[in-house]
């Protein structure tokens, strides 16, 4: 390994939400934080160096994105996802959730129905309800083997003429599914038939564990590309989420124009100097670093899985196919959800995301962020041994 992912970095006092906002969310701040989806690893040197170099120039005035910004993503998509993205499909977004909200606002109308599939990343609820659209839920189902599936029959049954959009996460946060090509094809068929826009949040697309393969929905065929808006960023991959710089991919000219008008009207297109530099540098120089990171994360997943199976078998992780998040099923403990939460916070002193915050079917689940040095995970799992007393 050329990079050191074992290094423990004290993030307290750095303005980190994960470390410095715990008392607000958990009622105390003496917890080990394993919640917010950023990583405890250092942002890679090649990105920090590019930012430092820019700081050698003393003026931080208005900035613009160079063509290299967009080209870096086009190359990355082609090389890593085998997806040929055209330059004219691309636009900027100040963060991925911002891109989702701008798409909802610009491409649907008030009162329109938008489908989401809980348990799912909680801001999906906000970008729909907060913008006065109707939220329609198509909960994911766990099959007999414990794998999460989209419920296509239910999806078909809830679509009506007011339904205009479906928002997916690929890979899916929090359950860690990487949607297979055949699943995306079925989804695409429904969307094309009913003229639904699919808003695909692919922020976790670089975190894929073998043998799973990420398929960009819009790469399936031209018809689905015309109805797909993909929002993504290197922000999770390279731990630069604090720079709020993302990209939208909109092959459909009409939808793209709507997006552009909205981002212009709201004056949100400027971006920031460091976000632009970090984005471009990440995609240009980041492959070797990412490959090592993925190996490290896989060992963390194996470590958590093995530890729980051996020491607390009542807590069952759902095997992640992608993301650096593990969806832990506590139902084997036969304790009420709120009791588990209380033990996690007040006895184990751990801050995990509450499964219920991801909506329907989140009861008895908590989400563990494994993008941290393995010694941290070991400490956290040892604290969880307290569950053996119940
Ligand atoms: C699925 C998903 N989308 C978006 C985000 C956040 O994106 P941003 O910070 O760029 O708005 C997260 C962060 O956890 C996420 O998991």
């Amino acid at each position: 390994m050329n990079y050191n992912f074992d290094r423990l970095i004290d993030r307290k006092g750095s303005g980190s939400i994960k470390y410095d906002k715990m008392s607000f969310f958990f009622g105390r701040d003496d917890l080990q934080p394993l919640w917010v989806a950023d990583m405890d690893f250092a942002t890679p040197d090649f990105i920090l160096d590019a930012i430092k170099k820019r700081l050698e120039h003393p003026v931080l005035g208005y900035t613009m994105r160079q063509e290299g910004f967009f080209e870096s993503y086009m190359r990355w998509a082609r090389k890593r996802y085998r997806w040929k993205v055209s330059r004219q499909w691309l636009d900027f977004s100040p963060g991925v959730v911002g891109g989702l909200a701008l798409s909802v606002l610009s491409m649907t109308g008030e009162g329109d129905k938008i489908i989401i599939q809980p348990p799912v990343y909680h801001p999906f609820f906000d970008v729909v309800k907060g913008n006065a659209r109707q939220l329609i839920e198509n909960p994911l189902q766990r099959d007999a083997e414990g794998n999460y599936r989209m419920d296509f029959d239910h999806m078909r049954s809830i679509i009506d003429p007011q339904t205009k959009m479906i928002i997916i996460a690929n890979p899916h946060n929090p359950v860690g599914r990487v949607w297979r090509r055949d699943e995306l094809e079925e989804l695409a068929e429904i969307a094309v038939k009913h003229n639904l826009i699919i808003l695909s949040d692919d922020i976790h697309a670089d975190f894929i564990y073998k043998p799973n393969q990420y398929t960009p929905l819009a790469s399936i065929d031209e018809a689905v590309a015309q109805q797909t808006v993909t929002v993504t960023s290197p922000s999770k991959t390279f731990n630069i989420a604090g720079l709020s710089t993302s990209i939208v991919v909109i092959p459909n000219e009409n939808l793209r124009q709507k997006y552009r008008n909205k981002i212009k009207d709201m004056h949100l297109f400027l971006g920031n100097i460091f976000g632009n530099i970090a984005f471009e540098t990440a995609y240009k120089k980041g492959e070797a670093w990412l490959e090592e990171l993925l190996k490290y994360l896989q060992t963390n997943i194996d470590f958590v899985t093995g530890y729980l199976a051996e020491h607390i078998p009542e807590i069952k992780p759902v095997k992640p196919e992608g993301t650096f998040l593990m969806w832990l099923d506590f139902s084997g403990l036969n304790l009420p959800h709120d009791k588990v939460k209380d033990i996690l916070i007040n006895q184990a002193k751990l801050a995990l995301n509450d499964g219920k915050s991801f909506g329907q079917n989140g009861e008895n689940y908590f989400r563990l962020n494994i993008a941290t040095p393995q010694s941290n995970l070991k400490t956290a799992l040892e604290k969880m041994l307290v569950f053996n007393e119940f």
Side-chain angles (χ1 to χ4, degrees):
M1 285 250 180
N2 294 313
Y3 302 102
N4 181 5
F5 297 106
D6 285 323
R7 179 179 156 208
L8 295 166
I9 301 172
D10 183 2
R11 298 182 63 192
K12 275 211 186 88
S14 67
S16 140
I17 296 180
K18 190 193 270 177
Y19 283 76
D20 297 328
K21 238 350 192 158
M22 276 192 295
S23 47
F24 181 81
F25 287 99
F26 295 90
R28 55 196 300 165
D29 61 8
D30 58 347
L31 308 178
Q32 186 181 343
L34 297 151
W35 58 306
V36 174
D38 65 16
M39 305 194 282
D40 289 329
F41 310 127
T43 299
D45 280 346
F46 49 87
I47 296 179
L48 298 176
D49 289 345
I51 291 174
K52 284 181 201 155
K53 185 155 186 339
R54 177 60 184 81
L55 277 168
E56 285 168 12
H57 192 288
V59 181
L60 301 178
Y62 285 120
T63 188
M64 55 182 274
R65 279 172 292 282
Q66 312 287 341
E67 269 312 293
F69 177 92
F70 296 106
E71 280 162 11
S72 69
Y73 178 71
M74 288 159 63
R75 263 203 307 274
W76 186 266
R78 191 166 186 164
K79 173 120 193 272
R80 295 208 56 102
Y81 320 142
R82 281 169 279 151
W83 185 24
K84 200 161 170 272
V85 171
S86 295
R87 168 66 185 93
Q88 75 260 27
W89 299 351
L90 301 175
D91 211 325
F92 165 77
S93 140
V96 166
V97 178
L100 300 179
L102 285 163
S103 301
V104 165
L105 274 172
S106 59
M107 299 171 197
T108 67
E110 260 189 53
D112 281 351
K113 293 181 177 172
I114 300 181
I115 297 175
I116 67 166
Q117 307 190 91
V120 73
Y121 180 54
H122 29 92
F124 282 20
F125 294 81
D126 303 335
V127 298
V128 176
K129 291 202 280 192
N131 290 307
R133 273 61 173 167
Q134 289 187 63
L135 182 84
I136 307 295
E137 302 192 20
N138 183 50
L140 297 179
Q141 301 297 331
R142 280 191 86 173
D143 65 16
E145 286 87 48
N147 298 315
Y148 279 91
R149 303 262 175 246
M150 295 191 205
D151 186 347
F152 291 116
D153 290 337
H154 184 255
M155 187 184 287
R156 286 187 186 91
S157 76
I158 55 177
I159 293 171
D160 68 18
Q162 261 186 297
T163 315
K164 297 290 179 289
M165 182 180 263
I166 167 159
I167 310 180
I168 66 165
N170 186 25
H172 188 101
N173 169 9
V175 308
R177 276 299 318 277
V178 177
W179 302 114
R180 284 192 322 262
R181 192 178 176 91
D182 61 306
E183 293 171 297
L184 293 174
E185 281 171 353
E186 189 159 357
L187 177 70
E189 189 192 307
I190 296 174
V192 170
K193 179 169 173 212
H194 295 280
N195 199 22
L196 301 180
I197 298 164
I198 307 185
L199 193 49
S200 191
D201 174 343
D202 294 18
I203 196 169
H204 294 280
D206 293 315
F207 298 97
I208 310 291
Y209 305 107
K210 289 181 182 134
N212 302 290
Q213 257 191 10
Y214 160 70
T215 306
L217 178 67
S219 71
I220 286 186
D221 64 33
E222 176 57 18
V224 71
Q226 286 299 316
Q227 288 180 217
T228 301
V229 174
T230 308
V231 192
T232 194
S233 173
S235 57
K236 299 266 175 235
T237 316
F238 298 96
N239 219 17
I240 47 176
L243 296 170
S244 291
T245 302
S246 309
I247 199 164
V248 288
V249 189
I250 315 178
N252 181 304
E253 198 180 331
N254 180 34
L255 296 178
R256 195 163 63 237
Q257 201 49 52
K258 288 183 177 177
Y259 179 89
R260 289 206 169 131
N261 292 343
K262 183 59 72 182
I263 199 170
K264 184 165 156 281
D265 293 347
M266 299 178 90
H267 211 83
L268 287 171
F269 51 83
L270 275 176
N272 73 82
I273 295 175
F274 303 115
N276 293 344
I277 289 171
F279 181 110
E280 185 174 334
T281 309
Y283 282 144
K284 277 193 175 149
K285 299 192 173 170
E287 256 198 300
W289 187 86
L290 172 60
E291 286 304 328
E292 287 202 11
L293 171 69
L294 287 172
K295 282 188 203 138
Y296 192 88
L297 293 174
Q298 182 66 66
T299 62
N300 277 0
I301 292 168
D302 295 344
F303 175 66
V304 171
T305 308
Y307 191 98
L308 289 175
E310 186 176 343
H311 299 285
I312 331 172
E314 295 81 8
I315 305 176
K316 294 189 181 60
V318 173
K319 188 173 183 219
E321 298 172 347
T323 79
F324 51 76
L325 308 163
M326 286 181 86
W327 187 233
L328 305 182
D329 178 357
F330 285 73
S331 60
L333 289 165
N334 289 319
L335 294 170
H337 182 92
D338 289 344
K339 178 75 183 163
V340 173
K341 184 172 174 172
D342 180 61
I343 297 168
L344 278 171
I345 297 173
N346 295 312
Q347 296 198 40
K349 306 264 177 71
L350 295 172
L352 272 66
N353 290 81
D354 184 340
K356 278 186 172 175
S357 69
F358 300 91
Q360 274 191 66
N361 298 348
E363 184 151 355
N364 292 321
Y365 291 86
F366 288 82
R367 192 192 74 178
L368 173 74
N369 180 339
I370 54 104
T372 193
Q374 201 169 107
S375 58
N376 264 345
L377 282 179
K378 184 165 182 288
T379 308
L381 289 164
E382 282 165 3
K383 291 178 179 177
M384 277 197 208
L385 289 172
V386 68
F387 281 105
N388 285 330
E389 293 164 22
F390 291 88

